[in-house]
Amino acid sequence: MSLIEFRQTAFRIGSKSILENFTLAIEPGETVVLLGRSGSGKTTALRLINGMHLPTGGQVLVEGRATTDWDLVRLRRSIGYVIQESGLFPHFTVERNVGLGPRLEGWPDARIAERVGAVLDSVSLPRDDFRARLPKQLSGGQRQRVGVARALAADPKILLFDEPFGALDPVTRLELQREFLRLRAEAGRTSVFVTHDVREAMKLGTRIALLQAGQLVFIGTPAEFQACRIPEARAFLEVFEDGE
């Protein structure tokens, strides 16, 4: 059974179609990158997975159950979500930010403390150095690492990434892309990653889903994407090839 499945999914706001006839199955352990220009529908597709949006047509299934049948609080707590600029609570310490999900799940304090330390270590933020800091005491790259640690803290099966590295300088962005690949190799979680950066998509995705005007126009491996002759894909690949 696919872990995430879009079945002829549509999302409209009034008469405006944001996503239309979107069909895609995502298997356990995959990293599917949703690639597209601004306004292509990729972030809408991501938000349909955790019920931040509900489909206006078709279905989105998570673990075999339509999102409209889930308790949405339960659904969102079961999925890790990483956004640009990390979205940390500014007056919470790193430890409190990272431990928020497990605390909402009712984990005992000792288990939370150990889990927070473990995930901070896993994203290259040694627990003894970072757990007591406030977000304002961190660099942009460190805040983003804390955001990833927070998404991992409750041990979700699914991780969603909404252009998480887009606001970072190129060196920090490269470091975090490498961290992402290392964590994926170690943990094997299913990830859906939104970007408009074709180089990032080629590096991070096990498959690339290309969206154009709210429709899926290509799905395949990075190698298959590089060989694709669809005009929208070629436009992205010209950028990729020019950058090599």
Side-chain angles (χ1 to χ4, degrees):
M1 181 180 69
S2 301
L3 192 57
I4 303 164
E5 188 174 359
F6 295 85
R7 292 182 178 174
Q8 296 182 313
T9 306
F11 183 75
R12 305 179 190 94
I13 299 175
S15 61
K16 183 178 181 181
S17 176
I18 310 299
L19 210 64
E20 199 68 46
N21 197 30
F22 188 79
T23 296
L24 174 66
I26 300 173
E27 305 304 322
E30 282 198 286
T31 296
V32 172
V33 174
L34 303 180
L35 176 67
R37 302 172 191 258
S38 297
S40 63
K42 55 190 186 296
T43 292
T44 296
L46 190 81
R47 291 177 178 175
L48 282 161
I49 296 170
N50 69 354
M52 292 179 70
H53 295 320
L54 293 175
T56 56
Q59 288 183 309
V60 180
L61 287 80
V62 176
E63 297 188 64
R65 188 192 313 177
T67 54
T68 50
D69 293 336
W70 276 82
D71 176 314
L72 292 180
V73 172
R74 178 81 258 136
L75 176 64
R76 290 169 191 157
R77 287 184 184 176
S78 71
I79 295 174
Y81 189 46
V82 185
I83 61 174
Q84 197 174 111
E85 296 291 351
S86 72
L88 302 179
F89 292 101
H91 302 302
F92 283 12
T93 63
V94 166
E95 181 172 36
R96 194 173 173 193
N97 267 291
V98 174
L100 183 61
R103 187 162 287 108
L104 290 171
E105 291 295 288
W107 291 22
D109 289 345
R111 185 184 176 198
I112 293 172
E114 177 53 37
R115 180 62 180 169
V116 167
V119 294
L120 286 175
D121 290 344
S122 77
V123 297
S124 302
L125 296 174
R127 65 182 81 185
D128 293 339
D129 293 337
F130 286 93
R131 68 195 315 160
R133 296 192 195 185
L134 293 170
K136 67 182 179 181
Q137 297 172 308
L138 306 174
S139 69
Q142 289 169 342
R143 286 193 296 273
Q144 207 60 41
R145 289 173 194 266
V146 174
V148 173
R150 182 175 61 183
L152 291 168
D155 201 21
K157 292 181 181 178
I158 297 169
L159 294 172
L160 307 180
F161 294 84
D162 192 359
E163 302 202 55
F165 311 145
L168 301 174
D169 65 84
V171 173
T172 303
R173 186 171 189 165
L174 179 60
E175 290 173 350
L176 283 169
Q177 288 170 349
R178 288 171 176 164
E179 286 287 330
F180 175 88
L181 290 171
R182 180 183 62 79
L183 287 168
R184 184 178 75 190
E186 291 175 358
R189 286 182 176 82
T190 304
S191 301
V192 184
F193 195 107
V194 166
T195 188
H196 61 266
D197 183 334
V198 65
R199 297 184 189 91
E200 188 165 69
M202 296 287 281
K203 179 180 293 185
L204 301 184
T206 56
R207 286 196 297 161
I208 295 171
L210 179 63
L211 282 76
Q212 181 179 14
Q215 300 206 2
L216 181 66
V217 296
F218 171 87
I219 178 68
T221 66
E224 289 167 340
F225 182 72
Q226 197 161 8
C228 179
R229 295 302 168 197
I230 297 170
E232 181 69 3
R234 295 312 309 168
F236 275 99
L237 284 164
E238 285 174 9
V239 175
F240 175 73
E241 290 159 1
D242 285 348
E244 289 187 322

